[in-house]
Amino acid sequence: MTTLSEKPSAPSTRQVSKRVSQSVFDGSRLRVVLLVDVHDGAQQQFLEAYEQLCNQVAQVPGHVSDQLCQSIENPSQWLITSEWESAPPFLTWVNSEEHVRMVEPLHSCVRDTRSLRFHVVRETGGAAARSAGRRRLQASPRIGDGVIRHALTFTVRPGSEAEVKRILADYASPRARVDETTRLCRTSLFMHGNRVVRAIEVRGDLLAALRHVARQPEVRAVEEAINPYLEQERDLNDQESARVFFTRAALPAVHHVTADELTEGERLARYYPARPGSGMRLAELLAQRDEAAADDPGSPVLRSTIFQRDDVVVRLLDVRPGLGAPPEPGHPAGLEALLDGEPVGMDLVTDRRSPDA
């Protein structure tokens, strides 16, 4: 498991390839915004829980500062902003079991939360302007394709893999349109051993899409069907149980690169077993390799997304049709020391695309 003492490579702002539309590895500062809706009458309880939490967060490596703000229009609405030296130390903390325990006192007084994460691109005015040279900023804005990529991962009980694969392959697709601005584009589901990875692509609001999917009866039926086989028990009818499960299951995209060619590719996934505490650094080295491959016209890889949480690292690939999985090239310097075994291809269970995605 990743620990809070893990140290990704020393942050230093570098020019990222224009083919990279998403990356947490450029060394720029991170601004995290948490919108919080507090239960009526629970403001003092929330404030006390926050003060206890912020004292703990101040000791986390990479944390710079935070602010707590209360709405001048609605006292139930609060805003927490924090600044971090770069994205990797924040992600290491927010995806840790320690974070799950830290925030537990907040949940009894909070109705809803929404977390937003931003790299700092520009700063103006006063002390910020004077210190800009010492504060690492994202070098230039990234140009994406309007698609948000996210994944969930969980494990099932050994021996149940075949039945779980059957259940996950045999269900009706949920309605793609979420609302006027959000729609599901693609869902790809893979398994390796007893690990399941579900990668989703969304246009619009990711949180709205995830909530939409969770409410669909066909998806609810599948989730209930696999419940007896999960290694981590959950009760989807219990809000706290469901929240903890999906918090632990979240597998964020940390890097995405696209080659110039827009050919439709064959979808593959590889699982990289990381040594304890090495997941973030392993993902960073894979990201550097994918950037180099995107500049190579002979590379079979059209698109690559790296997902990472703790020591789970998954590389989702779209490759030129008919070529199959690209061979693993020689390991970049330092990669072998981070691996706890050879990279392996995951079995594709289902790959579903919205007709007008």
Side-chain angles (χ1 to χ4, degrees), residues 28-47:
S28 56
R29 291 226 170 184
L30 184 74
R31 174 72 65 182
V32 180
V33 178
L34 183 65
L35 305 174
V36 183
D37 187 13
V38 176
H39 287 299
D40 295 338
Q43 286 82 357
Q44 185 60 38
Q45 179 187 351
F46 169 74
L47 180 60

Side-chain angles (χ1 to χ4, degrees), residues 150-154 188-192 195-199 249 251-256 268-274 279 282-283 286-287 290 304-317 328 339 343-347:
H150 188 68
L152 298 171
T153 187
F154 52 87
S188 305
L189 200 146
F190 295 86
M191 289 186 67
H192 170 64
R195 179 167 295 281
V196 178
V197 173
R198 177 186 292 148
L251 188 63
V254 295
H255 191 271
H256 178 77
L268 310 168
R270 279 190 169 144
Y271 173 71
Y272 294 79
L282 174 59
L286 292 172
D290 281 345
S304 171
T305 307
I306 298 171
F307 299 93
Q308 182 266 334
R309 177 193 181 90
D310 269 353
D311 303 321
V312 178
V313 181
V314 174
R315 186 165 163 246
L316 185 67
L317 301 167
E328 284 289 336
L339 285 167
V344 292
M346 304 191 75
D347 295 331

Side-chain angles (χ1 to χ4, degrees), residues 50-185:
Y50 166 79
E51 289 177 344
Q52 179 181 359
L53 175 63
C54 72
N55 289 332
Q56 295 172 315
V57 176
Q59 308 304 314
V60 175
H63 177 265
V64 177
S65 64
D66 57 66
Q67 286 185 324
L68 176 66
C69 308
Q70 186 176 22
S71 170
I72 63 173
E73 299 170 334
N74 181 352
S76 294
Q77 293 179 347
W78 295 72
L79 173 70
I80 301 173
T81 65
S82 61
E83 188 171 348
W84 296 75
E85 292 177 358
S86 62
F90 167 76
L91 293 174
T92 298
W93 171 69
V94 80
N95 292 329
S96 69
E97 286 297 312
E98 183 169 351
H99 174 261
V100 173
R101 293 190 296 270
M102 277 187 189
V103 300
E104 189 173 352
L106 290 174
H107 292 295
S108 62
C109 50
V110 169
R111 183 182 296 113
D112 193 19
T113 62
R114 182 178 180 85
S115 178
L116 304 170
R117 295 113 185 236
F118 303 87
H119 274 147
V120 181
V121 179
R122 297 289 184 271
E123 287 185 312
T124 59
R130 290 192 296 272
S131 64
R134 300 190 300 272
R135 297 163 65 86
R136 297 174 292 274
L137 307 180
Q138 182 177 304
S140 61
R142 298 193 183 95
I143 308 300
D145 55 7
V147 175
I148 302 171
R149 295 168 174 86
H150 188 68
L152 298 171
T153 187
F154 52 87
T155 55
V156 297
R157 293 175 182 172
S160 69
E161 294 90 346
E163 178 62 14
V164 170
K165 185 178 293 187
R166 184 195 66 78
I167 294 171
L168 293 174
D170 185 24
Y171 71 96
S173 298
R175 181 166 48 90
R177 185 178 184 273
V178 178
D179 53 38
E180 292 184 357
T181 60
T182 301
R183 68 180 301 104
L184 301 172
C185 298

